[in-house]
Amino acid sequence: MSAQYRIRENGVDLFVRLTPKSSVDRLEGVETSADGRSHLKARVRAVPENGAANQALERLVAKALGVPASSVSVVAGGTARLKTLRISGEPAALARSVDALCRLSST
């Protein structure tokens, strides 16, 4: 099983599985795919048109981590369900926040 994030020099990359057109915006815990990769499950109400679902995901994750929305961006998987979000900031603090978030959303 791999971690749902990767520490970078200037932040972390968070791996997310996004479900758009949901009834509610929420993070739902960590899921492990068949190939052994872990990712955070997220649902947003926005439709996957013109980047609306990606923007909603960026805002949702930023709010959950307590960071500015401008520090969260989709860097891979823009049109796919599996995405990589880059969160800019102090890597160790962000890693602790992501760990705590994943534990909370899994309960």
Side-chain angles (χ1 to χ4, degrees), residues 25 27 45 55-72 87 97 101:
D25 292 343
L27 299 172
R45 291 182 300 232
Q55 291 173 352
L57 174 63
E58 291 168 354
R59 287 190 304 269
L60 177 66
V61 170
K63 182 176 180 182
L65 292 175
V67 299
S70 61
S71 68
V72 180
I87 307 164
S97 295
L101 174 67

Side-chain angles (χ1 to χ4, degrees), residues 7-11 89 91:
I7 296 177
R8 301 185 58 82
E9 182 178 311
N10 58 350

Side-chain angles (χ1 to χ4, degrees), residues 7-86:
I7 296 177
R8 301 185 58 82
E9 182 178 311
N10 58 350
V12 298
D13 285 350
L14 178 64
F15 309 115
V16 179
R17 182 180 189 279
L18 178 63
T19 302
K21 297 194 309 187
S22 178
S23 60
V24 66
D25 292 343
R26 74 173 169 215
L27 299 172
E28 295 187 324
V30 177
E31 178 179 77
T32 303
S33 59
D35 63 2
R37 295 186 306 170
S38 296
H39 47 269
L40 182 64
K41 295 186 300 182
R43 295 181 178 274
V44 295
R45 291 182 300 232
V47 295
E49 294 175 359
N50 300 322
N54 289 343
Q55 291 173 352
L57 174 63
E58 291 168 354
R59 287 190 304 269
L60 177 66
V61 170
K63 182 176 180 182
L65 292 175
V67 299
S70 61
S71 68
V72 180
S73 60
V74 174
V75 295
T79 58
R81 284 186 183 264
L82 294 178
K83 301 181 183 298
T84 301
L85 294 179
R86 181 149 303 149

